[in-house]
Amino acid sequence: PAQAWAEAGTEGVGVRQSDDELPAFPALWARTAVLAAVCRGSDAPVGPRTDPAFAVYRGENGGCTIARLPGNRAVVSGGRDDSPLLSAAYKGLIEWPDLYRGAPPWLQNLYLDPRAGRGLLSFCYWWDGANWFRSDLPQAATLSPDDQNWQPTDEITAGMPGLWTAETTADLVANVLKRIGVELTDRNAYAALNLV
């Protein structure tokens, strides 16, 4: 990312504000922490794991890393295993997607999901303290006709746990509890949502 920024020379060029694609970072981080605590406490084999600076998620079809940075900044990056965007790039149908186009200079390799080092990163978002941003991915405009229905959110849907709302997060918590034999009943039906 630092090399891409230096070559482009202009922060913010070719960037799309993407608040409609991810929850605000404070909510995303809190939901991740709740789900991680429930997964860790129940010995769930999958689910996010967190520490004060990073959250890591490895799912069945992708994964991501959420990096929490000083100054209320953050980076979310990862990918899906069957990414149409990367498949098209590897086949030479589109130019390689410039995921860091317009990224700020503080977006460094240290904060990226390990997929970046293997050429498997298919999304990268940065939070500046108030809004999410990502590259506008001009390369994706020329996806093959078979992939016309592709949207950038397809990449994050497969690469992140479904933490889009408090309700979807509560559903994930309830599913983890169900796997360990804790059924929500009429008496505790709102327990997962209240926790989130």
Side-chain angles (χ1 to χ4, degrees):
Q3 180 183 353
W5 180 81
E7 289 172 1
T10 308
E11 179 182 347
V13 173
V15 171
R16 179 189 188 279
Q17 185 172 330
S18 301
D19 295 328
D20 57 334
E21 297 177 5
L22 288 172
F25 178 69
L28 177 65
W29 186 258
R31 292 172 191 162
T32 303
V34 168
L35 183 59
V38 172
C39 289
R40 188 72 166 176
S42 66
D43 276 337
V46 296
R49 301 295 190 246
T50 62
D51 66 25
F54 288 94
V56 176
Y57 170 75
R58 297 293 170 254
E60 295 177 4
N61 192 29
C64 71
T65 298
I66 304 170
R68 183 178 179 192
L69 309 176
N72 194 28
R73 296 172 298 171
V75 176
V76 174
S77 61
R80 61 184 281 186
D81 296 341
D82 59 349
S83 168
L85 180 66
L86 295 184
S87 293
Y90 275 115
K91 292 175 185 173
L93 301 175
I94 63 169
E95 288 184 43
W96 195 254
D98 184 358
L99 298 175
Y100 316 119
R101 180 182 166 130
W106 50 263
L107 198 157
Q108 299 290 322
N109 288 342
L110 173 65
Y111 311 130
L112 296 178
D113 190 82
R115 291 170 172 270
R118 298 190 317 262
L120 299 174
L121 198 71
S122 64
F123 63 86
C124 182
Y125 291 79
W126 53 94
W127 174 262
D128 68 354
N131 302 100
W132 284 113
F133 296 92
R134 67 166 171 80
S135 166
D136 60 7
L137 296 173
Q139 302 83 4
T142 59
L143 280 174
S144 69
D146 296 338
D147 297 320
Q148 285 182 352
N149 295 325
W150 177 87
Q151 297 293 322
T153 52
D154 295 340
E155 302 294 330
I156 59 175
T157 300
M160 293 182 66
L163 306 171
W164 317 121
T165 66
E167 290 77 15
T168 59
T169 306
D171 289 344
L172 292 172
V173 167
N175 287 338
V176 172
L177 294 174
K178 190 175 184 178
R179 279 197 300 243
I180 62 168
V182 177
E183 290 283 347
L184 298 181
T185 66
D186 290 343
R187 294 182 66 195
N188 62 1
Y190 294 102
L193 185 58
N194 290 341
L195 176 63
V196 173

